[in-house]
């Protein structure tokens, strides 16, 4: 099976007539591309010094690459939407999708110097605006989780939309929080993956702080959620979140044991 993975090595003494770069002699790079070669989905770089000590770093997380000719390939809004939809399906992070939008926003519209299609750029603007609009007014959908908002006493709320899901900390009771790198914590944290089992009424979703924000939060790199709703989707009957720490250790928070209660916000 084709993996669309590039691997290469840079040897600084041989390539750059330099004894080392930043103290490192070699740099090994691995990059995986999407099926359309629009972005680098994931990758890593490993530097080695003269003592063979390594420094490794992921990119596609903190370091994001987008094809320099992307704006020339996307010639209509529906092409842009198809691109971002495919990238999400292939595992592109939210930061990558945002950077793709920024590529269209930061270039002038189609004209004398730079060719960026008007409708594609307009779609990018809509996507960015939609991501930063206020939370929609809660609705009550008794047939499925889609369109419902579930809120805790603390003000933290779970939003399950038709095409996305996220946890909101926008309520004033949530306070001013910061990520571990001291940057402001996001007001909305998206699930990078989510699914729903209609037979068991169970929602599963994953949040990745490092992939989305290049920082841990409270020492946590990522979280896996599992929540089961009642038959009318008025409350979350039971749930749990598994938090993974930087050292790989995992901590499970059980909603029942910890007294965590979510109720459909439209009923409050």
């Amino acid at each position: 099976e084709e993996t669309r993975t590039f691997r290469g090595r840079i040897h600084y003494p041989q390539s750059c007539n330099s004894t080392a770069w930043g103290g490192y002699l070699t740099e090994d790079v691995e990059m995986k591309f999407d099926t359309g070669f629009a972005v680098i989905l994931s990758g890593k770089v490993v530097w080695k010094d003269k003592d063979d000590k390594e420094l490794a770093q992921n990119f596609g997380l903190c370091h994001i690459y987008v094809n320099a000719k992307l704006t020339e390939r996307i010639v209509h809004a529906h092409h842009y939407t198809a691109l971002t939809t495919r990238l999400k399906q292939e595992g592109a992070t939210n930061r990558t999708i945002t950077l793709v939008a920024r590529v269209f926003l930061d270039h002038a519209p189609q004209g004398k110097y730079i060719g960026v299609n008007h409708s594609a750029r307009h779609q990018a603007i809509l996507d960015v605006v939609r991501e930063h609009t206020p939370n929609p007014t809660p609705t009550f959908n008794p047939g499925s989780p889609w369109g419902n908002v579930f809120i805790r006493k603390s003000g933290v709320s779970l939003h399950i939309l038709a095409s996305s899901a996220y946890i909101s900390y926008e309520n004033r009771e949530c306070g001013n929080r910061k990520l571990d790198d001291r940057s402001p914590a996001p007001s909305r944290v998206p699930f990078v993956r989510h699914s729903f089992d209609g037979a068991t009424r169970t929602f599963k979703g994953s949040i990745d702080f490092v992939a989305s924000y290049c920082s841990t939060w409270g020492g946590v790199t990522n979280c896996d959620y599992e929540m089961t709703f009642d038959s009318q989707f008025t409350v979350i009957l039971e749930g749990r979140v598994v938090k993974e720490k930087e050292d790989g250790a995992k901590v499970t928070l059980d909603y029942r044991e910890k007294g965590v209660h979510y109720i459909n916000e439209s009923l409050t």
Side-chain angles (χ1 to χ4, degrees):
E1 180 182 359
E2 186 181 66
T3 63
R4 302 182 306 280
T5 301
F6 170 89
R7 295 180 178 87
R9 165 172 286 190
I10 297 174
H11 193 287
Y12 293 115
Q14 296 177 4
S15 303
C16 308
N17 288 326
S18 173
T19 55
W21 190 3
Y24 296 101
L25 298 179
T26 62
E27 178 179 330
D28 290 302
V29 179
E30 180 177 305
M31 298 174 281
K32 181 178 179 180
F33 300 88
D34 69 289
T35 52
F37 294 90
V39 303
I40 295 175
L41 291 174
S42 61
K44 66 178 180 180
V45 57
V46 179
W47 293 276
K48 288 186 179 181
D49 64 16
K50 61 183 179 61
D51 297 320
D52 216 31
K53 292 182 179 179
E54 294 185 355
L55 172 65
Q57 189 174 69
N58 289 327
F59 64 93
L61 298 178
C62 296
H63 305 288
I64 303 171
Y65 291 82
V66 174
N67 194 306
K69 299 292 185 179
L70 187 61
T71 57
E72 298 177 13
R73 294 164 52 181
I74 305 300
V75 296
H76 197 276
H78 70 266
H79 294 153
Y80 175 88
T81 300
L83 168 69
T84 55
T85 299
R86 176 178 60 76
L87 291 177
K88 291 175 183 177
Q89 293 172 343
E90 294 181 13
T93 66
N94 288 295
R95 287 173 58 86
T96 299
I97 300 299
T98 298
L99 181 59
V100 169
R102 288 294 176 190
V103 167
F104 286 84
L105 299 185
D106 291 344
H107 287 72
Q110 191 172 30
K112 181 177 179 180
Y113 299 107
I114 301 176
V116 176
N117 180 268
H118 281 284
S119 65
R121 188 171 188 268
H122 179 65
Q123 186 61 48
I125 293 172
L126 289 178
D127 283 359
V128 172
V129 170
R130 186 180 298 115
E131 186 165 335
H132 293 87
T133 53
N135 286 322
T137 301
T139 59
F140 178 45
N141 179 8
S144 77
W146 314 117
N148 287 304
V149 176
F150 298 87
I151 190 167
R152 290 173 57 181
K153 184 179 180 180
S154 65
V156 175
S157 54
L158 167 67
H159 297 249
I160 306 178
L161 308 180
S163 59
S164 63
Y166 62 90
I167 293 178
S168 171
Y169 297 92
E170 294 169 279
N171 191 293
R172 62 185 180 185
E173 295 181 18
C174 295
N176 297 319
R177 305 186 178 200
K178 291 186 180 296
L179 298 173
D180 291 342
D181 65 359
R182 306 310 299 162
S183 62
S187 58
R188 301 180 187 179
V189 179
F191 288 93
V192 294
R193 294 176 299 278
H194 67 276
S195 63
F196 176 69
D197 185 334
T200 62
R201 301 188 305 278
T202 300
F203 172 91
K204 294 182 179 180
S206 298
I207 284 174
D208 194 324
F209 296 115
V210 175
S212 298
Y213 307 107
C214 291
S215 175
T216 53
W217 195 355
V220 175
T221 60
N222 58 82
C223 300
D224 291 318
Y225 287 78
E226 183 174 318
M227 294 169 275
T228 301
F229 304 91
D230 71 297
S231 60
Q232 295 296 306
F233 296 91
T234 58
V235 298
I236 294 176
L237 292 175
E238 58 183 356
R240 66 173 187 164
V241 54
V242 179
K243 302 179 179 182
E244 184 170 344
K245 300 281 190 174
E246 290 181 275
D247 61 3
K250 294 184 178 181
V251 178
T252 300
L253 184 152
D254 184 276
Y255 286 3
R256 286 186 174 179
E257 292 178 0
K258 298 296 184 181
V260 176
H261 304 287
Y262 281 89
I263 185 172
N264 196 308
E265 189 173 8
S266 66
L267 305 179
T268 59

